[in-house]
Amino acid sequence: MLVLDSQYTVEESYKKVNWGHSAFCSAIDFAVKWNVKTLYLFHHEPVYDDKKLDSILTAARWYAKYIVHSDLKVFLSCEGLEFEV
């Protein structure tokens, strides 16, 4: 499992290049390259509403399946989510 700061689309990440946040497609590319099975997109833009976050998740899942051709499971991190290691 990988939890990675990936709150932006590619277009948004280009506009905020020095902000220290990545695009969801970069997170997917890393996860696939590193043979990760499950990815949680983390650190959401505070001004985004649930509709925007859902659109990012949908786009991320589409990218993983149809562009990268991966069975990577992609989820959004949310407040209160815990993992046992």
Side-chain angles (χ1 to χ4, degrees), residues 2-4 27-28 31 36-41 72-75:
L2 175 64
V3 179
L4 191 64
I28 291 168
V36 171
K37 303 295 181 215
T38 305
L39 171 66
Y40 283 85
L41 306 178
L72 176 71
K73 294 178 180 85
V74 182
F75 301 98

Side-chain angles (χ1 to χ4, degrees), residues 39-59:
L39 171 66
Y40 283 85
L41 306 178
F42 174 72
H43 196 171
H44 309 302
E45 175 65 51
V47 297
Y48 290 170
D49 59 14
D50 288 346
K51 185 176 180 180
K52 175 68 174 185
L53 293 175
D54 286 341
S55 73
I56 288 173
L57 178 59
T58 298

